[in-house]
Amino acid sequence: MKFLEYTPLDRLNDFLSHVNFGERTIKGCLEAYSCKHTGTDKKLSLSLEHEILDYLGKSSDTDSSSPADYLLSRSSRKTLIYLVLTLYHMYPDYDFSLMRAHQFFTEESWDSFKQIFDTYMFEASKEWVETNGGNSLLEVLYKALDEVVRLSECEIYSYNPDCHVDPFLEKGSIWSFNFFFYNRKLKCVVSFRFCCVSNLVADAFLVDDMSYNDDGEIFDDMDM
């Protein structure tokens, strides 16, 4: 997997990096990756393949109608592996190898994504128009994604892990969504995560961290 730079995504990222509404802030980030293996990707993909096959072997013994039946297809397993490898590159210090990724990924449509985006990004979309004018935030997003991964050929997935295995979750998070747009032909995937964070909670954590650091400095100065 290789990080790819695209100017249309950069413009959106600049805007979504910090949209402040006083008591809360909306954040978003788009990242594009090539699905060609680099570095340790091959080793990781083989490990994930074995993990999936092991899970399928166990699930077939207990449930003949498992929700993971789609993983019986090699192309479906390959898609899942690319998605998990993308997560690895986004969060290199986080271990995804132990999670049951198929439980967290759900196939979506553009319409289902649009419904979520329109509902939760309404304020950010309004701010975009007031700041930039012209096309709506969703229209600009669609055009950028289409330029990178050709949306008409894309598979769209949402990623909804349990909170204790969610590297995306920020302190003070009110809501959070993670989507992946994957084009098999182009061997390219774009991740899009957006969330809303309470500034009150985030500021409280910052004060606590500063107090903790100050206490540590006091004790460091004391002769024990």
Side-chain angles (χ1 to χ4, degrees):
M1 307 289 287
K2 181 181 178 181
F3 178 76
L4 304 173
E5 293 187 8
Y6 285 97
T7 301
L9 299 186
D10 291 341
R11 183 190 176 201
L12 286 163
N13 284 333
D14 286 343
F15 171 75
L16 292 171
S17 63
H18 197 84
V19 189
N20 195 317
F21 294 102
E23 293 185 353
R24 61 196 181 284
T25 294
I26 289 179
K27 301 178 181 180
C29 183
L30 292 131
E31 295 182 5
Y33 291 89
S34 162
C35 293
K36 294 180 180 180
H37 287 341
T38 59
T40 60
D41 287 345
K42 189 172 184 179
K43 182 178 179 181
L44 283 171
S45 64
L46 287 173
S47 175
L48 290 166
E49 173 82 8
H50 289 313
E51 181 183 352
I52 293 170
L53 292 175
D54 181 59
Y55 174 82
L56 288 174
K58 292 177 180 178
S59 63
S60 64
D61 295 335
T62 59
D63 186 358
S64 59
S65 59
S66 168
D69 281 348
Y70 76 98
L71 290 176
L72 293 171
S73 162
R74 179 169 175 77
S75 62
S76 296
R77 295 199 300 272
K78 196 172 183 180
T79 297
L80 178 61
I81 287 171
Y82 281 142
L83 295 177
V84 175
L85 286 176
T86 303
L87 290 173
Y88 266 108
H89 283 269
M90 293 168 66
Y91 291 90
D93 296 327
Y94 197 89
D95 183 10
F96 293 94
S97 61
L98 298 179
M99 75 177 192
R100 301 303 184 187
H102 64 275
Q103 297 176 347
F104 304 140
F105 283 106
T106 304
E107 192 163 3
E108 305 281 355
S109 65
W110 175 259
D111 287 340
S112 62
F113 165 78
K114 180 179 180 299
Q115 184 176 6
I116 291 173
F117 186 92
D118 284 342
T119 301
Y120 289 89
M121 295 291 281
F122 173 78
E123 290 179 305
S125 299
K126 186 177 178 180
E127 181 69 20
W128 169 272
V129 173
E130 291 177 356
T131 302
N132 299 283
N135 294 331
S136 69
L137 179 58
L138 183 63
E139 289 172 332
V140 175
L141 173 63
Y142 184 97
K143 185 177 180 181
L145 288 171
D146 193 49
E147 182 176 330
V148 178
V149 286
R150 298 177 191 167
L151 282 173
S152 62
E153 302 174 2
C154 266
E155 299 167 26
I156 303 175
Y157 297 89
S158 60
Y159 175 67
N160 302 293
D162 296 333
C163 61
H164 63 281
V165 288
D166 186 359
F168 298 96
L169 201 62
E170 295 191 32
K171 293 177 179 178
S173 179
I174 299 172
W175 51 258
S176 176
F177 294 95
N178 312 285
F179 286 90
F180 293 83
F181 301 83
Y182 170 57
N183 187 310
R184 291 176 185 266
K185 293 180 181 179
L186 296 178
K187 293 186 176 180
C188 181
V189 59
V190 173
S191 71
F192 179 32
R193 56 190 184 277
F194 52 101
C195 67
C196 181
V197 178
S198 167
N199 291 337
L200 300 177
V201 175
D203 289 345
F205 274 111
L206 179 61
V207 170
D208 287 344
D209 288 341
M210 291 176 64
S211 298
Y212 177 81
N213 291 332
D214 289 343
D215 290 343
E217 291 177 2
I218 293 173
F219 285 114
D220 288 342
D221 294 335
M222 294 177 62
D223 292 331
M224 301 299 287

